Amino acid sequence: MRPDGPRDPVTGPDGGPKPPYPIRLAGPVIKGFGRGSKELGIPTANIPAEGLAAYPDLQVGVYYGVVALDPARFAFEDASSPIRPAVLSIGYNPFYKNQTRSIEIHIMPSLSAPSPTADGGPTKFHKLPDFYGTDLRLLILGYIRPEYDYVSLEALVEDIRLDCEVARRSLQRPAYACYLAGEECAEDVREARQWLTRFESQ
């Protein structure tokens, strides 16, 4: 069960990701369990879990990072950047008692846009049109928390809302925002961004 008490507002060192991050994963968007949008109201993009074999020590839990989608198959309505912030879970989701490990990614709006998951109003998670089959590339930049079981669906949704806000604040720090945009970034960050947006269709 989720422990009582407040959540940390950010995670990860302020100076930027430390090994093993950033972690690179990629694959086509596949159909998941069908619960993200229907039961939780939280759209997720699933990619095959086979890529996790390259990271055998990666623990299950919730993470944050940045993603890009193949522009030949999907274009964001807001064309400000092809790279978007994301929060994701890797694991078995104890609330639903999944038997197979999955990678479920929730793509958030750009950091310059108002947060739909901010406290103080009705929570509306960011939604995009379906893009099954589209190639997705993901850089995991940090770890948020372990997987928990919950006493109710509402408690699960509230914790995911908090995950989105933790991810958003964590990515707003300069050393992490560089992975989304900006020219004044280290060479390794620029190379990671190039990998993120390099698709076979281009």
Side-chain angles (χ1 to χ4, degrees):
M1 288 295 178
R2 181 193 185 283
D4 293 332
R7 298 271 303 272
D8 291 333
V10 298
T11 70
D14 289 343
K18 301 297 182 186
Y21 310 107
I23 289 171
R24 299 182 180 189
L25 293 172
V29 176
I30 59 176
K31 286 189 177 293
F33 298 103
R35 295 186 296 245
S37 289
K38 292 179 181 178
E39 292 187 24
L40 303 176
I42 307 167
T44 58
N46 289 42
I47 60 173
E50 285 81 1
L52 295 173
Y55 307 98
D57 297 326
L58 191 67
Q59 60 184 312
V60 298
V62 179
Y63 295 82
Y64 63 94
V66 294
V67 302
L69 295 168
D70 184 351
R73 296 286 303 272
F74 182 87
F76 291 102
E77 289 185 6
D78 168 16
S80 59
S81 172
I83 303 174
R84 298 299 162 115
V87 63
L88 63 138
S89 68
I90 296 176
Y92 301 90
N93 197 330
F95 183 78
Y96 286 106
K97 298 176 174 56
N98 296 344
Q99 298 300 308
T100 56
R101 187 165 58 163
S102 64
I103 304 171
E104 302 179 57
I105 305 160
H106 175 63
I107 300 176
M108 301 189 296
S110 64
L111 297 182
S112 60
S115 172
T117 52
D119 199 8
T123 298
K124 294 182 179 180
F125 292 91
H126 188 51
K127 294 186 178 182
L128 295 169
D130 287 341
F131 46 90
Y132 291 119
T134 301
D135 285 333
L136 179 151
R137 291 196 169 198
L138 165 70
L139 285 175
I140 301 177
L141 301 179
Y143 177 77
I144 296 178
R145 62 171 176 85
E147 287 191 304
Y148 297 125
D149 199 353
Y150 293 88
V151 297
S152 68
L153 190 67
E154 291 75 17
L156 169 61
V157 171
E158 172 60 14
D159 230 18
I160 296 173
R161 183 192 72 78
L162 291 172
D163 293 335
C164 291
E165 289 303 295
V166 171
R168 185 179 177 88
R169 286 190 293 265
S170 297
L171 289 167
Q172 285 173 330
R173 294 172 295 177
Y176 294 83
C178 270
Y179 285 89
L180 287 157
E183 297 301 323
E184 302 299 322
C185 297
E187 179 62 30
D188 62 327
V189 176
R190 291 198 297 270
E191 190 278 329
R193 283 198 343 228
Q194 289 172 359
W195 173 85
L196 197 64
T197 56
R198 188 166 56 239
F199 292 92
E200 292 184 2
S201 64
Q202 295 175 303

